[in-house]
């Protein structure tokens, strides 16, 4: 798959959310759930970075990182629906952008258990934030389905981008990780 095809596929996936851009059209919450991870810079960068980082891994870590993020984020979302708030949640989300960006920039390959643990920690903060921001009058299940689908698509986009690029382009992925880390540092400072 070429980079152009991957970007077209991502654009096609995101297009349905544009049709529901105005309030009152989404009682199911699906469009709001899709939009949440895509429209928040912190969520967008972290979720793309998980896909980038997964593609830099070998073996089981390639699928374990995105699956762990999605599963733990959903658990966090359910906790958020119940009103659970984590201390320093927003700081943790910004720190996840910084940390995941650095992990991509350095292309680190820790043991799978360490990588999964870090991924789960970051995903929990993102999930609770998603759950706490459930739009009024929206179905929590439709909203959850939306943010899970958007997150999985962002992971797939990051992963697919790395896998579609020739090996000679690996420095570009690391530069993207560094840019994400800088954005995370900016978010932490703000």
């Amino acid at each position: 798959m070429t980079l152009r095809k991957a970007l077209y596929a991502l654009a096609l996936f995101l297009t349905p959310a544009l049709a529901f851009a105005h309030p009152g059209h989404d009682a199911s919450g699906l469009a709001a759930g899709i939009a949440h991870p895509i429209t928040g810079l912190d969520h967008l960068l972290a979720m793309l970075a998980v896909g980038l980082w997964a593609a830099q891994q070998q073996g089981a870590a390639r699928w374990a990182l995105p699956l762990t993020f999605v599963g733990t984020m959903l658990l966090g979302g359910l906790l958020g629906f119940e009103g659970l708030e984590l201390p320093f949640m927003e700081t943790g989300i910004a720190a996840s952008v910084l940390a995941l960006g650095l992990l991509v920039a350095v292309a680190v390959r820790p043991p799978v258990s360490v990588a999964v643990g870090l991924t789960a920690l970051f995903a929990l903060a993102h999930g609770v934030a998603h759950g706490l921001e459930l739009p009024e009058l929206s179905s929590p299940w439709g909203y959850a389905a939306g943010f899970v689908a958007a997150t999985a698509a962002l992971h797939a986009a990051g992963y697919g981008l790395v896998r579609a690029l020739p090996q000679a382009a690996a420095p570009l992925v690391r530069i993207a990780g560094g840019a994400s880390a800088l954005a995370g540092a900016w978010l932490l400072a703000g």
Side-chain angles (χ1 to χ4, degrees), residues 56-84:
Q56 292 176 325
Q57 304 304 303
Q58 296 176 337
R62 285 188 171 169
W63 57 265
L65 298 180
L67 288 178
T68 296
F69 194 100
V70 170
T72 309
M73 182 195 60
L74 179 58
L75 175 64
L78 297 175
L79 294 171
F81 291 159
E82 295 300 318
L84 174 79

Side-chain angles (χ1 to χ4, degrees), residues 106-139:
V106 179
V108 68
R109 289 185 179 147
V112 175
S113 60
V114 172
V116 164
L118 280 172
T119 302
L121 180 66
F122 298 147
L124 184 65
H126 284 270
V128 170
H130 289 325
L132 288 172
E133 295 176 17
L134 172 68
E136 194 173 323
L137 302 178
S138 290
S139 161

Side-chain angles (χ1 to χ4, degrees):
M1 179 183 274
T2 66
L3 175 59
R4 176 183 259 166
K5 287 181 182 176
L7 292 175
Y8 284 145
L10 181 61
L12 282 173
F13 174 78
L14 300 177
T15 306
L18 296 176
F20 294 105
H22 304 285
H25 298 290
D26 185 30
S28 72
L30 181 66
I34 290 170
H36 187 89
I38 295 167
T39 58
L41 181 65
D42 49 357
H43 296 295
L44 178 70
L45 291 175
M47 292 169 193
L48 283 171
V50 169
L52 296 173
W53 191 39
Q56 292 176 325
Q57 304 304 303
Q58 296 176 337
R62 285 188 171 169
W63 57 265
L65 298 180
L67 288 178
T68 296
F69 194 100
V70 170
T72 309
M73 182 195 60
L74 179 58
L75 175 64
L78 297 175
L79 294 171
F81 291 159
E82 295 300 318
L84 174 79
E85 291 190 39
L86 297 176
F88 306 108
M89 182 179 57
E90 291 300 324
T91 302
I93 290 170
S96 76
V97 175
L98 172 64
L100 288 165
L102 286 175
L103 291 167
V104 171
V106 179
V108 68
R109 289 185 179 147
V112 175
S113 60
V114 172
V116 164
L118 280 172
T119 302
L121 180 66
F122 298 147
L124 184 65
H126 284 270
V128 170
H130 289 325
L132 288 172
E133 295 176 17
L134 172 68
E136 194 173 323
L137 302 178
S138 290
S139 161
W141 300 111
Y143 181 69
F147 71 69
V148 165
T151 297
L154 290 168
H155 291 337
Y159 186 91
L161 180 66
V162 173
R163 305 306 293 167
L165 290 173
Q167 187 62 30
L172 294 176
V173 174
R174 295 174 118 190
I175 290 169
S180 181
L182 287 173
W186 176 75
L187 289 168
L188 277 170

